[in-house]
């Protein structure tokens, strides 16, 4: 499954396919409504309006809905609009929702049709920046699946997620490597990559199982020109490239063959096989929450001779004086 599809349908790049709930985009339906909570993100190129239809969810109480609104707030969502479908055959008259008064009949019917809503369902709305909607609604999807016992706990759902974006953009508009700067772009030349880096996908892949990433890797860059182009896009100029990665760029000039990597997390696989959700349950000698090792009693006192040999000085922390 391509990364873009995983984010669109499940709000996550490690979707749990045992859960039947999916995100459905409705921005095109609400971009002209007067309700700015919906129309604002719908008209923002970086915004998103998505809904989750929960079968039988109309039975949720207001208290339960409010608890879910509080839950998505953890992920940056500002609220959780909802629409109960009490009688699908009655159209707008069969809808119960605090936001229905801001939506006309055409919009409501469009949402009902696109989500295949039926009587007894509830539709939950996420409207914000695309990343916030994906994170909040993706997490809500998992919680609803567990709370309402919609997730089939008896099955295994493995999945390869591919075609990850090469770069991701921060709040300042700077590009960063989504995996690492040595991941090869997919089907592009160095010039094409520099011309439109935001549109580039990487030749990377993750193995997902029951909503957990259990393995991942990528095809690595094996061309000096391509590697230099990636460094340039990341804001590393030629001088810094030579200083920090000159050995790599030189090695790539000598005909490095295409090569790839893949690593699986054995602990994570064992965790799933044992039916636990805490990886510490299956790690032989897990560290404590204070980062101490019960097996070796680390961290221990530092040997002064070793510190001197390494030119490391240990100084006492200065106490802060009251202003």
């Amino acid at each position: 499954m391509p990364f873009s599809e995983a984010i669109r349908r499940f709000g996550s790049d490690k979707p749990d396919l045992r859960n039947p709930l999916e995100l459905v985009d409705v921005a095109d339906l609400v971009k002209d409504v007067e309700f700015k909570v919906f129309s604002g993100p719908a008209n923002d190129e970086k915004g998103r309006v998505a809904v989750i239809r929960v079968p039988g969810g109309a039975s949720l109480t207001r208290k339960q809905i409010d608890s879910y609104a509080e839950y998505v707030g953890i992920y940056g969502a500002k609220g959780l609009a909802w629409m109960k479908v009490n009688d699908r055959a009655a159209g707008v008259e069969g809808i119960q929702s605090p936001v229905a008064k801001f939506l006309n009949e055409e919009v409501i019917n469009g949402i009902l049709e696109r989500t295949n809503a039926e009587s007894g369902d509830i539709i939950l709305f996420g409207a914000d920046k695309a990343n916030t909607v994906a994170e909040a609604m993706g997490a809500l999807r998992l919680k609803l699946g567990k709370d309402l016992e919609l997730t089939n706990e008896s099955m295994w759902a493995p999945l390869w997620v591919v075609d990850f974006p090469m770069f991701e953009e921060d709040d300042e508009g700077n590009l960063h490597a989504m995996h690492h700067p040595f991941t090869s772009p997919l089907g592009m030349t160095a010039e094409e990559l520099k011309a439109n880096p935001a549109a580039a996908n990487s030749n990377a892949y993750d193995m997902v199982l029951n909503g957990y990433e259990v393995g991942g890797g990528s095809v690595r860059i094996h061309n000096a020109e391509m590697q230099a182009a990636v460094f340039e896009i990341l804001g590393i100029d030629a001088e810094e490239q030579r200083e920090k990665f000159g050995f790599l760029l030189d090695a790539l000039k000598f005909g490095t063959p295409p090569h790839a990597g893949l690593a699986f997390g054995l602990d994570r696989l064992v965790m799933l096989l044992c039916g636990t959700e805490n990886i510490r349950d299956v790690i032989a000698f897990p560290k404590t929450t204070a980062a101490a090792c019960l097996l070796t009693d680390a961290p221990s006192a530092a040997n002064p001779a070793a510190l001197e040999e390494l030119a490391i000085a240990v100084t006492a922390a200065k106490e802060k004086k009251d202003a």
Side-chain angles (χ1 to χ4, degrees):
M1 179 182 294
F3 170 89
S4 58
E5 181 181 347
I7 295 296
R8 175 175 57 82
R9 294 174 58 192
F10 308 108
S12 171
D13 61 358
K14 48 181 186 296
D16 188 348
L17 300 186
R18 300 172 303 165
N19 182 334
L21 301 179
E22 294 193 18
L23 279 63
V24 177
D25 287 296
V26 295
D28 59 309
L29 300 177
V30 299
K31 65 180 183 179
D32 295 325
V33 301
E34 295 182 4
F35 191 44
K36 297 300 182 184
V37 173
F38 287 174
S39 61
N43 287 284
D44 183 350
E45 62 178 11
K46 295 184 178 180
R48 184 180 183 186
V49 184
V51 300
I52 296 176
R53 176 181 72 87
V54 185
S59 61
L60 291 174
T61 65
R62 184 59 186 267
K63 183 179 180 180
Q64 288 174 304
I65 296 173
D66 288 344
S67 73
Y68 287 127
E70 185 176 344
Y71 180 74
V72 296
I74 299 173
Y75 299 90
K78 301 179 181 66
L80 184 66
W82 53 273
M83 181 184 293
K84 289 186 177 183
V85 186
N86 295 325
D87 185 357
R88 179 68 177 89
V92 176
E93 298 300 321
I95 296 301
Q96 175 190 353
S97 171
V99 299
K101 59 186 176 183
F102 302 111
L103 311 175
N104 59 41
E105 184 174 355
E106 182 181 357
V107 170
I108 292 175
N109 284 330
I111 293 171
L112 295 176
E113 290 175 9
R114 184 167 297 180
T115 57
N116 295 315
E118 299 178 357
S119 298
D121 295 348
I122 190 172
I123 298 172
L124 303 172
F125 293 77
D128 211 307
K129 294 294 183 184
N131 288 342
T132 300
V133 171
E135 286 189 34
M137 299 300 278
L140 177 62
R141 170 183 174 268
L142 295 178
K143 184 167 179 58
L144 287 166
K146 189 169 185 178
D147 291 352
L148 304 181
E149 299 183 348
L150 299 172
T151 301
N152 184 351
E153 303 282 355
S154 66
M155 68 179 289
W156 296 95
L159 172 73
W160 282 107
V161 177
V162 298
D163 296 348
F164 286 83
M166 186 77 180
F167 306 101
E168 53 188 346
E169 187 177 314
D170 62 21
D171 293 336
E172 284 73 44
N174 300 313
L175 293 178
H176 302 275
M178 176 166 275
H179 277 80
H180 54 69
F182 313 107
T183 304
S184 179
L186 190 62
M188 300 182 81
T189 65
E191 290 303 317
E192 290 171 336
L193 181 66
K194 287 192 288 186
N196 192 7
N201 286 333
S202 65
N203 201 347
Y205 32 82
D206 281 354
M207 167 56 75
V208 175
L209 181 62
N210 293 3
Y212 292 94
E213 180 188 330
V214 296
S218 65
V219 174
R220 307 302 165 84
I221 294 173
H222 56 279
N223 174 279
E225 182 185 3
M226 180 66 76
Q227 187 64 75
V230 171
F231 286 152
E232 182 181 331
I233 291 167
L234 295 176
I236 304 174
D237 60 29
E239 182 178 352
E240 188 177 0
Q241 288 181 35
R242 176 52 50 185
E243 178 185 348
K244 292 183 175 180
F245 303 105
F247 67 94
L248 175 62
L249 295 172
D250 287 341
L252 294 177
K253 293 177 182 177
F254 288 99
T256 305
H259 55 289
L262 173 64
F264 282 98
L266 182 59
D267 291 338
R268 189 71 68 187
L269 286 169
V270 173
M271 181 197 81
L272 291 169
L273 289 169
C274 291
T276 177
E277 295 183 353
N278 188 347
I279 197 170
R280 291 167 58 84
D281 292 342
V282 301
I283 296 177
F285 303 106
K287 305 296 186 287
T288 67
T289 53
C293 178
L294 300 179
L295 175 68
T296 63
D297 288 329
S300 58
N303 186 322
L307 292 176
E308 184 177 357
E309 182 180 351
L310 297 170
I312 296 176
V314 178
T315 59
K318 295 182 179 179
E319 295 184 3
K320 293 183 179 179
K321 296 181 179 180
D322 295 333

